[in-house]
Amino acid sequence: MNLANTAMKPTFDFKSAASWQLVFLLLMLTAGYLSIAVSQIALGLALLILLYRWVFLKETPPVTGLEKTTALLAVWALVMIPFSTNVPQSLVYYRRFYLFAVIWVAASAATTERRRLLLLGFLLAGSMAISIYGQIHHAQLAGGFMSQRMTVVFNAMTSGALLMMAILVAAGFLIVQGISRRTKVVIAVAISPVVLGLLMTMTRSAQLGLLAGLGLMLLLAKPRVFGMFLGLMLLATVVLAVFGENMMSERLWSRINPQYVLAGDNTTARLEMWGGGLEMVKAHPITGVGDRGLEEISPDYYTSENNLYFGHLHNNIVQMAVIWGIPGLIFGQAFIFAGLWFLVKRWRTLRRRAEEFRATPARSGWVLGAIGVWISFYIAGLTEWYFGDAETMLIYLAILGCALGPVEPEEPQAD
């Protein structure tokens, strides 16, 4: 029996393994914004239940389309461990592939409209909680909302990416048709502090990713509105370029000042790191240096003006090539682009099935939101190692799973 067949059952039946899997997944989605330890424990419990259902109840996990590319990347990374320049650390870092299990844990839980709404609610609960707490805490310490970058549980870059993804999933539900007006109002209210939280992190990569995600979602779902959105973004760019320095705090302006963005310390440091990464790839083109921290070996490949060396190179593409070699980069990019391929394919399928599209708006909301998350994650990952960040990767993969849950059979409207 496929797990999709459980769609006819009530949302919660606490005697069923499926319900307990959902409970731990909901906990994981909320805890993903509050504690990486709790979220990974919750994932582990949900995964054990999934395996129990698969082995003993013969409830096969749904096919998401990501199985082959995930396996190729995981196998390549495993085979490359003996060639690593730090084998013990590469063995430890291989645990990153544990997070990939959340794709199928989430896909097998997102089987009904009610469950999809619950999943959204718990995702937003975590992002709201950390945003509101962070804003209060930040205002007390800094004396204002925009005097410095907001950090609470995670650093500003990680927090920015996490909040970015929550906003885009919520935006998917706000854009699609079929969601009740009352529900959309609740969602809009819920993401308001999250939007403010993202601004307060002053994470440019996440903010740019958010705009790119919103643009792509509107292009797919509401092309006419996309034109207005694009015009508004161009107008805002001109206004900020001319009046930005007088419209915002000195700290906030310093984050988006074109002169600083193009030639500031952060940009210079990243260019140094990326150049060093290319030298590492030249030295180890096939095997890479291994999935390891790069602080110790970086001075052998580039000179940092400020003498600071990091454990990664702040770029998903460069970092993949460095730690797994060029073949690993190809496998890693294949996995990432497979996500976009199957999301867009799912979106087009839903749009063609007009009745199903109207009958299951939460499914469409997750798919559209995940498409926005995909492009935002990719763009933000051009200046950050988000693929290797457990906090961001866990939520990103969970969103893919929720969006790529089983399509058939259609669930009854009572659920």
Side-chain angles (χ1 to χ4, degrees), residues 104-115:
W104 293 274
V105 169
S108 61
T111 55
T112 71
E113 286 293 275
R114 186 177 297 172
R115 287 185 170 205

Side-chain angles (χ1 to χ4, degrees), residues 74-295:
V75 169
W76 179 261
L78 180 63
V79 172
M80 289 300 102
I81 290 177
F83 302 97
S84 171
T85 56
N86 189 330
V87 173
Q89 196 171 68
S90 292
L91 281 168
V92 173
Y93 279 19
Y94 192 76
R95 66 189 178 188
R96 72 171 74 251
F97 288 98
Y98 160 65
L99 302 179
F100 284 63
V102 76
I103 297 173
W104 293 274
V105 169
S108 61
T111 55
T112 71
E113 286 293 275
R114 186 177 297 172
R115 287 185 170 205
R116 295 181 190 110
L117 287 171
L118 274 172
L119 290 165
L120 172 68
F122 277 75
L123 178 75
L124 292 182
S127 62
M128 283 178 59
I130 199 62
S131 296
I132 294 172
Y133 173 77
Q135 287 152 16
I136 295 173
H137 181 73
H138 186 81
Q140 290 174 339
L141 292 180
F145 282 103
M146 294 295 181
S147 57
Q148 62 187 48
R149 301 182 74 180
M150 183 181 77
T151 58
V152 189
V153 177
F154 309 120
N155 63 51
M157 291 178 292
T158 297
S159 297
L162 289 170
L163 299 181
M164 169 192 76
M165 291 188 283
I167 295 167
L168 287 168
V169 173
F173 281 72
L174 294 176
I175 292 172
V176 298
Q177 298 178 346
I179 303 292
S180 71
R181 180 175 299 180
R182 179 180 298 179
T183 301
K184 288 190 175 184
V185 169
V186 172
I187 293 172
V189 171
I191 64 171
S192 296
V194 185
V195 173
L196 177 58
L198 175 57
L199 291 174
M200 291 176 65
T201 67
M202 300 185 191
T203 304
R204 292 168 298 190
S205 60
Q207 292 165 356
L208 182 61
L210 175 69
L211 295 177
L214 287 173
L216 180 57
M217 292 161 67
L218 290 173
L219 181 63
L220 290 174
K222 296 182 180 293
R224 293 182 181 179
V225 179
F226 169 75
M228 298 172 58
F229 173 81
L230 184 60
L232 182 62
M233 290 300 100
L234 292 174
L235 177 61
T237 301
V238 173
V239 170
L240 287 175
V242 177
F243 304 106
E245 189 172 4
N246 300 320
M247 294 173 58
M248 55 188 64
S249 68
E250 182 179 351
R251 176 61 174 163
L252 184 57
W253 171 246
S254 70
R255 298 294 301 170
I256 64 174
N257 183 349
Q259 183 176 356
Y260 176 77
V261 171
L262 294 175
D265 293 341
N266 286 340
T267 301
T268 302
R270 280 170 169 75
L271 292 175
E272 291 171 352
M273 285 187 279
W274 300 342
L278 293 178
E279 294 303 315
M280 294 180 197
V281 175
K282 289 179 183 178
H284 305 271
I286 304 301
T287 63
V289 302
D291 193 358
R292 53 160 297 170
L294 303 178
E295 303 97 323

Side-chain angles (χ1 to χ4, degrees), residues 89 93 96 273 280 289-299 302 308-315 319 322-323 385 388:
Q89 196 171 68
Y93 279 19
R96 72 171 74 251
M273 285 187 279
M280 294 180 197
V289 302
D291 193 358
R292 53 160 297 170
L294 303 178
E295 303 97 323
E296 295 179 359
I297 66 172
S298 288
Y302 72 95
L308 288 177
Y309 295 93
F310 297 88
H312 57 82
L313 300 176
H314 287 78
N315 182 290
Q319 184 75 12
V322 165
I323 64 175
W385 175 226

